Amino acid sequence: MSKNLINKYVWLVETLYKAKKITLKEINRRWTQTELSEGEEIPRRTFNNWKNAAEEMFGLVIMCDKHDDCYYIENRDDLEEGGFQRWLLNTMSVHNTLLENKALSGRILLENIPSGQDFLATVMEAMKKSKLLEITYKGYWSEHEHTFPVAPYCVKLFRQRWYLVGNSINEDIIRIYALDRVLETHLSDEAFKYPKEFNPEKYFKHCFGIIHDENCHLETVKLKVSYNQANYLRSLPLHPSQEEIECNDDYCIFSLNLRPTFDFQQEILWNGDAVEVLEPLWLRKEMTDIVKRMWNNYNKTF
């Protein structure tokens, strides 16, 4: 399937999603305004082919209301829930937008993404074929690289980095590897059996990011957030469990149910004095100790 066709399918789904209900005439009006169209309308037969392909690609059901001849996505909830389909559509839609605006490349500033995606295809192939991976890995805190077999269970994207979650065969323990720390990887001939009891979403359900630490117990964390900063947490929650339980003109209080691991603590610090930990007390004390150490660092006389 050519990239050009995929771009067209993505455009169609995005147009249907934004419009909620739309006629083929209006679809064509919007289509002819894009560079992809080259000024040509979509013949009905071609439209039906695109519709069928888009349904298969994104797992959607695109229907036509005979009363007003409008097309709509019947299971749009699948996109609104923010899972794999929504992420895939968003990513490909951004790709389309950038292609449509290549003339503005000097005015579009993007973030650098580490090279972990170089090995993503090999990891996906191993997952699909249930084959072990031989990876050569050098962690951030390691002086030497190591080569060992891993049974790949799933991958996770967090803060512009791809991570591999898998069973380290030599240790028989689930570990998480940053793909940008992988130096080399090969698909093994040896197969593994994906454990039915392993559920990626459940595994990370109570995690803030990529750290899964069983020794860090599940807690109800309460955060006191400045009134203005609260808007950021509302628009982009720290965790799916986040709830706003109190608000006034000065501050708001949010409650989260998660494991307050190191990466979560770093996120709290990133917000500076706009976010204060109220509960649990051990976490509040931990944050206090970190802030004190920071103060000692900055209070030195040069």
Side-chain angles (χ1 to χ4, degrees):
M1 187 182 297
S2 71
K3 290 184 179 180
N4 194 40
L5 274 177
I6 293 175
N7 293 338
K8 292 172 181 177
Y9 304 155
V10 172
W11 179 89
L12 177 60
V13 173
E14 191 70 11
T15 300
L16 289 168
Y17 180 76
K18 290 179 178 178
K20 294 187 178 179
K21 292 188 74 175
I22 187 172
T23 63
L24 180 56
K25 181 179 179 180
E26 176 61 16
I27 290 173
N28 267 316
R29 188 189 70 80
R30 299 187 187 189
W31 170 248
T32 53
Q33 294 176 350
T34 69
E35 291 184 15
L36 281 171
S37 71
E38 298 180 347
E40 299 289 334
E41 290 191 352
I42 311 170
R44 181 171 288 276
R45 182 176 179 180
T46 300
F47 171 79
N48 288 332
N49 290 337
W50 290 10
K51 179 179 74 69
N52 294 338
E55 287 180 319
E56 183 177 352
M57 178 179 292
F58 295 102
L60 300 176
V61 178
I62 300 173
M63 303 292 290
C64 182
D65 190 330
K66 295 181 179 179
H67 295 291
D68 53 15
D69 202 30
C70 284
Y71 288 90
Y72 63 96
I73 299 175
E74 186 176 52
N75 57 334
R76 62 181 289 120
D77 288 348
D78 291 346
L79 293 176
E80 292 173 348
E81 289 174 357
F84 174 79
Q85 292 164 302
R86 178 72 250 181
W87 186 89
L88 181 63
L89 178 60
N90 285 346
T91 302
M92 299 176 79
S93 179
V94 169
H95 177 261
N96 266 5
T97 301
L98 293 177
L99 283 178
E100 287 279 302
N101 295 279
K102 286 187 289 186
L104 298 175
S105 60
R107 296 161 61 186
I108 301 173
L109 307 180
L110 304 173
E111 291 184 285
N112 180 49
I113 299 177
S115 60
Q117 66 267 22
D118 294 346
F119 300 111
L120 190 58
T122 304
V123 172
M124 294 288 193
E125 184 181 1
M127 290 168 58
K128 189 184 300 183
K129 295 181 177 179
S130 295
K131 296 289 188 179
L132 295 182
L133 280 170
E134 285 285 340
I135 68 173
T136 301
Y137 191 82
K138 186 177 185 298
Y140 285 108
W141 314 115
S142 300
E143 293 185 5
H144 306 287
E145 61 191 54
H146 301 277
T147 301
F148 48 87
V150 175
Y153 287 176
C154 71
V155 292
K156 180 177 172 66
L157 180 64
F158 180 66
R159 296 289 167 81
Q160 300 173 266
R161 282 184 166 88
W162 283 101
Y163 293 86
L164 163 65
V165 182
N167 184 37
S168 177
I169 300 301
N170 294 340
E171 303 171 276
D172 193 23
I173 188 173
I174 295 177
R175 291 200 179 278
I176 301 171
Y177 306 97
L179 287 191
D180 58 306
R181 304 308 299 164
V182 174
L183 304 179
E184 194 173 352
T185 183
H186 299 286
L187 193 66
S188 169
D189 292 329
E190 187 176 349
F192 76 93
K193 188 174 182 180
Y194 181 77
K196 293 182 180 179
E197 66 274 12
F198 182 82
N199 183 304
E201 287 191 11
K202 186 177 180 180
Y203 186 79
F204 285 107
K205 180 178 180 180
H206 299 299
C207 301
F208 166 72
I210 199 64
I211 297 178
H212 180 95
D213 185 359
E214 295 286 353
N215 294 320
C216 185
H217 300 298
L218 184 62
E219 300 270 8
T220 297
V221 177
K222 291 185 180 179
L223 304 175
K224 181 180 178 181
V225 184
S226 66
Y227 184 83
N228 290 330
Q229 189 69 11
N231 289 323
Y232 289 94
L233 266 68
R234 292 189 188 103
S235 62
L236 190 61
L238 294 175
H239 189 262
S241 65
Q242 178 178 301
E243 292 183 5
E244 187 172 341
I245 59 177
E246 183 181 336
C247 195
N248 55 46
D249 293 338
D250 297 318
Y251 63 85
C252 298
I253 297 179
F254 292 88
S255 174
L256 304 93
N257 191 37
L258 47 60
R259 301 179 191 273
T261 47
F262 174 76
D263 50 359
F264 177 72
Q265 295 173 27
Q266 293 295 301
E267 181 70 13
I268 299 302
L269 291 171
W270 182 87
N271 285 273
D273 62 353
V275 175
E276 174 188 352
V277 174
L278 299 180
E279 296 179 13
L281 292 179
W282 74 263
L283 180 59
R284 180 178 176 86
K285 183 179 183 303
E286 179 68 22
M287 301 304 294
T288 301
D289 291 342
I290 293 173
V291 172
K292 285 180 179 177
R293 292 195 295 271
M294 291 174 63
W295 166 249
N296 290 335
N297 287 338
Y298 283 103
N299 197 38
K300 294 175 182 177
T301 302
F302 293 97

